[in-house]
């Protein structure tokens, strides 16, 4: 099989597995196997850019950056929907329709109204060619590169599809994924996103498609626009889209009369909370497309469709007390403790107040009667104060100045909404949080020890920081509840084994604010040992590629603290890795410092990953596309002709494997 066939075959296989996984929810190979195949394809595509394909499964990974989103006119206008809030309004709508259509048999397709951002995606000859936001309905923004990263959006269609059409759908962020994103943000010391809808629509306009690719967005299609589609009903439209490879939600139902429509609404008003994403109503559409045509449109919306909005889930209750929670990064979240009230089927006792600004904006006070709403957030929020019920003796809320857990004076950084407790080494929730981070998989990966045990060990006074883990003995552990001999052994062994973890991960494990995995790697590489980092000032630190002022400042602050210094010394005494190993050092130079390389083609004596590592180890940078900032193109055999001409146009020198080796040896 030649290379071209191999590439085609991999693409086809990956396309099918992607479909099984993301559309059918029924994968037939492991994630690992999938990743391996994807890597293989990626590497072949890099070697043979002449077989480039805009619909290759590799574009899902993202990477393209869009600085300005072009405005493009829709082929078919995108309309709004008329809203209704009661069954009476629904019945009136039906009357209006009957008046126009006369005495005919009417059926309806009922769908859920997904709460996200609308999108219109154009396919031509079965290939995704463009994706536009709704914009003002007449024209929208071209967000094609971002949409292509969404796994449930087919890049190529299956089956028997029309030559060209637009499919409309809603881009949503399922609740689980949203929660997970927020968890990770909080762990990095960033503020949580407010709700899934805003986050989904914000994602469409991110410049870096790689960031979009990391978000678990979904596309839920609901209609098709085009000529000669060969489709006669709305319900059939949904079905057809399914056969072409789209993930059309299964809840849609065909209703033969308005009674069935009412039943559909009743059912989903309750059961929508079981769905993985948010919905805010039901959309009722006249099923036959020729009837739709006869009904036509008003200035803004189709006459043949109606949105029934679920009742906004709001309740009013008394705010008894405002309390403050301390997160594991020290971030303070004010919480409203409420007189229990029934809201959307659950009893609500607490609501988030987000931050000091939010409290000031609402002017919310203890003793106030407030409105709580269950919107996109996982915990309900307070939307308004009922001023008419405010008690005479009410006093404005004064935001706390000291940490409720440890008493330290709170701080608030320029431009940040949240206060935080700076006592990172003495504040209980921060202490356990840091230890939990220290032992986590990507950090010290300590087997036999979990988050709950950390809390238990802390409560029992056995550990106060991560260095204490290394002095735990079996005798300390055995008296603890649920700690069998075997688990105690495992824990001790796990801790002992962690001394072999490489420096860059130890650095990450320390839990320095803003120092994530990648930053830790960069710092380890640039400074080679912990002492050099400790002795560096912010200016020196920020000379490292991608280390900004904020990170540099945070590193300096961390090592300024005498407690942290002591911790490092203790860890060092226990034998943890605080410098690059001899072997790592040997291979590191600064011979290529400040130089940027693009690698292309096939090499004889070295693999591409090895080459890239060599460049990075010698202080150089590897990028994937040629620009005026590229210093050298490192070319093997069969370098793509387009790359070659681009390099020549920009005057970037093209060097061979041998010439390159000469530079680093
Ligand atoms: P509105 O923005 O209130 O005018 O409502 C119209 C919007 O509802 C459309 O632009 C779609 O993005 C969204 N929508 C969500 N689910 C559906 C659905 N099943 N059918 C049609 N539109 C929907
Ligand atoms: Zn504190």
């Amino acid at each position: 099989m030649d290379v071209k066939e191999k590439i085609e075959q991999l693409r086809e296989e990956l396309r099918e597995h992607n479909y099984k996984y993301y559309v059918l929810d029924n994968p037939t190979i492991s994630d690992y196997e999938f990743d391996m195949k994807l890597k293989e394809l990626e590497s072949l595509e890099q070697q043979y850019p002449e077989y480039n394909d805009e619909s290759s499964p590799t574009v899902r990974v993202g990477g393209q950056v869009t600085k300005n989103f072009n405005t493009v006119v829709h082929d078919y206008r995108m309309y709004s929907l008329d809203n209704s809030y009661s069954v009476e309004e629904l019945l009136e709508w039906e009357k209006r329709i009957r008046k126009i259509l006369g005495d005919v048999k009417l059926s309806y397709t009922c769908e859920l109204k997904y709460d996200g951002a609308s999108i219109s995606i154009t396919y031509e000859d079965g290939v995704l060619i463009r994706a536009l936001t709704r914009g003002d309905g007449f024209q929208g923004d071209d967000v094609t590169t971002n949409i292509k990263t969404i796994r449930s959006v087919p890049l190529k269609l299956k089956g028997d599809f029309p030559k060209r059409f637009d499919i409309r759908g809603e881009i949503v962020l399922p609740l689980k994924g949203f929660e997970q994103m927020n968890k990770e943000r909080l762990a990095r010391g960033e503020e949580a996103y407010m709700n899934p809808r805003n986050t989904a629509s914000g994602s469409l306009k991110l410049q870096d498609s790689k960031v979009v690719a990391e978000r678990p967005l979904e596309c839920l299609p609901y209609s098709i626009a085009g000529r000669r589609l060969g489709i006669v009903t709305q319900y059939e439209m949904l079905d057809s889209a399914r056969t072409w490879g789209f993930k059309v939600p299964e809840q849609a139902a065909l209703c033969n009369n308005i009674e069935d429509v009412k039943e559909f609404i009743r059912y989903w008003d309750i059961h929508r909370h079981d769905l993985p994403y948010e919905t805010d109503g039901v959309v009722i559409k006249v099923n036959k497309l020729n009837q739709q045509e006869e009904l036509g449109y008003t200035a803004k919306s189709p006459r043949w469709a109606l949105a029934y909005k679920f009742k906004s889930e709001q309740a009013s209750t008394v705010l008894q007390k405002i309390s403050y929670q301390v997160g594991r990064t020290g971030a303070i979240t004010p919480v409203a403790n409420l007189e229990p009230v029934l809201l959307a089927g659950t009893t609500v006792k607490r609501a988030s107040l987000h931050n000091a600004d939010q409290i000031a904006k609402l002017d919310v006070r203890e003793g106030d009667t407030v409105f709580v709403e269950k919107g996109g957030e996982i915990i309900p929020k307070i939307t308004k104060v009922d001023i008419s019920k405010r008690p005479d003796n009410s006093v404005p809320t004064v935001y706390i100045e000291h940490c409720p857990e440890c008493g330290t004076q709170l701080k608030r950084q320029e431009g940040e909404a949240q206060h935080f407790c700076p006592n990172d080494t003495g504040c209980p929730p921060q202490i356990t949080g840091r230890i939990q981070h220290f032992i986590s998989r990507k950090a010290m990966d300590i087997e036999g020890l979990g988050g709950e045990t950390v809390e238990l060990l802390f409560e029992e006074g056995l550990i106060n920081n991560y260095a204490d883990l290394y002095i735990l003995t079996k005798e300390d552990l055995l008296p603890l509840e649920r700690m069998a001999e075997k688990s105690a052994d495992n824990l001790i062994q796990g801790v002992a084994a962690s001394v072999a973890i490489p420096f860059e991960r130890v650095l990450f494990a320390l839990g320095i604010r803003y120092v994530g995995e990648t930053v830790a790697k960069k710092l380890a590489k640039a400074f080679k040992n912990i002492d050099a980092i400790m002795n560096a000032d912010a200016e020196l630190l920020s000379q490292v590629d991608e280390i900004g002022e904020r990170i540099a400042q945070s590193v300096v602050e961390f090592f300024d603290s005498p407690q942290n210094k002591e911790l490092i010394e203790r860890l060092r005494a226990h034998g943890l890795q605080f410098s690059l190993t001899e072997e790592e050092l040997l291979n590191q130079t600064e011979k290529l410092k400040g130089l940027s390389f693009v690698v292309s083609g096939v090499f004889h004596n070295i693999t591409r990953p090895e080459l890239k590592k060599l460049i990075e180890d010698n202080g150089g940078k590897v990028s994937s596309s040629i620009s005026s900032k590229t210093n050298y193109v490192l070319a093997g055999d069969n370098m793509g002709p387009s790359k070659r001409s681009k390099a020549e146009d920009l005057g970037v020198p093209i060097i061979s494997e041998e010439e390159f080796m000469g530079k680093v040896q």
Side-chain angles (χ1 to χ4, degrees):
M1 187 181 341
D2 70 5
V3 177
K4 186 165 183 232
E5 280 169 349
K6 179 75 194 161
I7 290 180
E8 287 301 328
Q9 185 201 331
L10 275 170
R11 283 178 182 157
E12 194 46 51
E13 259 182 76
L14 284 163
R15 209 168 280 137
E16 194 54 31
H17 286 304
N18 182 81
Y19 174 71
K20 285 182 181 158
Y21 189 109
Y22 291 101
V23 179
L24 302 182
D25 281 326
N26 186 18
T28 52
I29 61 170
S30 69
D31 292 1
Y32 178 77
E33 284 170 283
F34 185 89
D35 287 346
M36 287 334 260
K37 283 187 198 291
L38 190 66
K39 284 229 170 71
E40 191 183 352
L41 177 59
E42 256 172 341
S43 140
L44 283 172
E45 285 182 349
Q46 276 184 359
Q47 282 180 41
Y48 301 95
E50 57 272 40
Y51 303 132
N52 181 40
D53 177 355
E54 297 291 312
S55 313
S56 168
T58 50
V59 312
R60 305 273 194 204
V61 186
Q64 276 204 55
V65 174
T66 315
K67 282 268 178 284
N68 291 302
F69 295 96
N70 289 332
T71 305
V72 179
V73 177
H74 289 290
D75 287 351
Y76 304 90
R77 183 174 163 193
M78 290 183 86
Y79 284 91
S80 293
L81 289 170
D82 278 341
N83 286 326
S84 67
Y85 299 88
S86 65
V87 173
E88 289 71 50
E89 284 177 275
L90 171 70
L91 296 177
E92 274 164 32
W93 173 71
E94 199 203 18
K95 249 196 222 149
R96 283 201 301 276
I97 292 178
R98 288 204 176 279
K99 222 166 154 183
I100 299 174
L101 294 181
D103 189 20
V104 289
K105 192 174 156 9
L106 272 175
S107 58
Y108 306 91
T109 296
C110 288
E111 295 159 33
L112 288 164
K113 188 165 192 293
Y114 322 112
D115 204 9
S118 38
I119 193 78
S120 178
I121 312 176
T122 306
Y123 286 82
E124 197 169 73
D125 297 319
V127 175
L128 187 164
I129 58 165
R130 191 176 76 187
L132 304 178
T133 62
R134 181 164 84 167
D136 63 3
F138 295 100
Q139 50 183 35
D141 290 328
D142 186 331
V143 291
T144 312
T145 38
N146 286 344
I147 292 301
K148 278 180 159 183
T149 67
I150 301 176
R151 309 301 199 269
S152 56
V153 173
L155 301 174
K156 279 197 173 176
L157 302 179
K158 307 155 112 21
D160 193 11
F161 42 78
K163 173 139 181 69
R164 183 182 166 113
F165 66 91
D166 290 354
I167 186 157
R168 268 85 194 260
E170 197 81 354
I171 304 295
V172 299
L173 196 53
L175 290 160
K176 257 212 195 114
F178 175 71
E179 257 176 280
Q180 184 58 30
M181 272 175 68
N182 266 347
K183 240 195 227 156
E184 286 164 14
R185 280 181 74 81
L186 291 172
R188 285 196 300 266
E190 296 166 341
E191 219 187 311
Y193 287 123
M194 290 283 251
N195 63 53
R197 179 183 5 104
N198 292 353
T199 315
S201 78
S203 302
L204 298 187
K205 300 293 277 294
L206 288 172
Q207 297 195 338
D208 186 353
S209 59
K210 210 173 214 126
V211 181
V212 185
E214 283 162 8
R215 298 192 172 179
L217 298 162
E218 288 241 23
C219 176
L220 309 175
Y222 52 71
S223 86
I224 295 165
R227 269 178 276 275
R228 286 191 290 278
L229 297 172
I231 292 173
V232 298
T233 69
Q234 169 68 19
Y235 197 69
E236 197 189 317
M237 196 182 275
L238 300 178
D239 243 1
S240 303
R242 243 173 239 131
T243 66
W244 304 334
F246 290 96
K247 185 170 188 173
V248 181
E250 299 285 344
Q251 291 83 20
L254 185 58
C255 296
N256 284 318
N257 51 55
I258 224 70
E259 276 314 307
D260 289 356
V261 173
K262 280 171 23 191
E263 185 51 38
F264 185 91
I265 292 173
R266 256 197 305 274
Y267 182 86
W268 284 109
D269 200 356
I270 302 164
H271 289 90
R272 67 191 167 114
H273 301 291
D274 307 331
L275 293 169
Y277 40 78
E278 295 189 305
T279 56
D280 62 349
V282 168
V283 184
I284 305 122
K285 299 175 183 172
V286 169
N287 192 39
K288 287 208 174 106
L289 300 191
N290 60 2
Q291 289 175 340
Q292 287 190 4
E293 212 168 304
E294 202 177 334
L295 289 164
Y297 298 80
T298 66
K300 265 185 61 214
S301 32
R303 288 197 189 86
W304 46 264
L306 184 72
Y308 177 97
K309 291 285 197 108
F310 294 128
K311 295 238 163 20
S312 136
E313 306 196 38
Q314 214 182 42
S316 97
T317 186
V318 175
L319 191 169
Q320 293 168 322
K321 192 171 165 41
I322 296 176
S323 59
Y324 298 84
Q325 268 179 0
V326 186
R328 81 163 188 77
T329 55
I332 309 289
T333 310
V335 177
N337 297 272
L338 308 167
E339 204 166 273
V341 63
L342 205 62
L343 180 60
T346 49
T347 305
V348 172
K349 295 185 197 126
R350 291 150 65 82
S352 170
L353 284 165
H354 298 294
N355 53 50
D357 295 341
Q358 182 73 7
I359 292 180
K361 198 170 116 199
L362 292 168
D363 180 25
V364 62
R365 310 174 181 186
E366 291 181 348
D368 269 343
T369 298
V370 295
F371 292 101
V372 270
E373 209 171 272
K374 218 170 196 171
E377 297 77 36
I378 312 306
I379 354 176
K381 64 172 179 187
I382 292 182
T383 53
K384 221 169 78 182
V385 174
D386 188 347
I387 300 284
S388 70
K389 296 200 177 136
R390 178 166 277 173
D392 291 338
N393 61 355
S394 151
V395 284
T397 302
V398 180
Y399 203 81
I400 50 163
E401 287 180 8
H402 294 91
C403 175
E405 300 273 348
C406 72
T408 305
Q409 177 136 31
L410 299 180
K411 282 197 183 165
R412 192 181 198 184
Q413 229 117 26
E414 250 320 278
E416 286 198 19
Q418 251 163 336
H419 286 73
F420 74 96
C421 165
N423 181 17
D424 44 10
T425 51
C427 184
Q430 295 192 61
I431 293 174
T432 50
R434 293 187 145 229
I435 304 176
Q436 284 159 347
H437 168 74
F438 183 83
I439 65 168
S440 65
R441 209 170 42 83
K442 289 185 169 167
M444 301 303 283
D445 192 19
I446 297 188
E447 265 176 57
L449 181 56
E452 277 174 31
T453 312
V454 167
E455 267 161 29
L456 182 67
L457 293 171
F458 173 73
E459 277 158 27
E460 295 293 328
L462 288 168
I463 54 172
N464 247 314
N465 51 56
Y466 38 65
D468 289 345
L469 291 171
Y470 293 85
I471 52 171
L472 284 174
T473 63
K474 203 168 159 184
E475 289 66 45
D476 289 336
L477 300 174
L478 283 177
L480 299 179
E481 217 175 300
R482 288 194 309 264
M483 183 65 77
E485 180 128 4
K486 181 106 180 88
S487 0
D489 281 337
N490 285 345
L491 199 164
I492 304 263
Q493 266 168 26
V495 171
S498 72
V499 302
I501 295 289
F503 175 42
E504 55 185 48
R505 280 172 61 187
V506 177
L507 193 57
F508 169 58
L510 296 179
I512 306 167
R513 208 170 148 90
Y514 308 129
V515 177
E517 263 183 292
T518 335
V519 171
K521 249 186 217 159
K522 300 236 147 143
L523 286 173
K525 208 163 228 170
F527 290 90
K528 308 200 169 37
N529 62 60
I530 194 98
D531 297 297
I533 299 178
M534 288 167 92
N535 292 329
D537 59 12
E539 206 194 315
L540 190 59
L541 287 163
S542 49
Q543 280 170 18
V544 179
D545 189 34
E546 283 176 45
I547 310 280
E549 214 174 296
R550 192 177 67 146
I551 303 176
Q553 202 50 49
S554 161
V555 173
V556 170
E557 266 169 38
F558 183 90
F559 291 111
D560 267 351
S561 135
Q563 286 112 310
N564 286 338
K565 280 194 191 132
E566 193 204 318
L567 277 178
I568 305 281
E569 288 324 310
R570 287 181 55 203
L571 292 175
R572 204 200 292 262
H574 287 292
L576 273 72
Q577 306 296 318
F578 278 116
S579 56
L580 298 181
T581 60
E582 289 284 316
E583 198 193 321
E584 285 168 317
L585 275 174
L586 262 181
N587 296 327
Q588 303 240 339
T589 77
E590 297 206 328
K591 287 180 188 158
L592 305 179
K593 193 168 174 191
L595 298 180
S596 165
F597 290 80
V598 169
V599 182
S600 177
V602 191
F603 299 87
H604 294 285
N605 304 312
I606 188 168
T607 67
R608 291 164 66 95
E610 281 167 348
L611 258 181
K612 290 189 171 168
K613 185 161 186 305
L614 207 52
I615 294 172
E616 281 171 356
D617 284 350
N618 285 289
K621 232 174 113 169
V622 182
S623 60
S624 55
S625 60
I626 301 173
S627 73
S628 55
K629 292 203 188 106
T630 312
N631 296 95
Y632 293 100
V633 174
L634 177 44
D637 291 348
N638 294 332
M639 174 182 171
S642 63
K643 272 202 175 151
R644 182 170 293 275
S645 66
K646 187 152 186 203
E648 282 164 3
D649 286 350
L650 292 168
V652 179
I654 302 178
I655 57 171
S656 68
E657 184 178 338
E658 289 72 28
E659 283 171 284
F660 171 76
M661 286 303 180
K663 287 185 189 296
V664 293
Q665 265 151 14

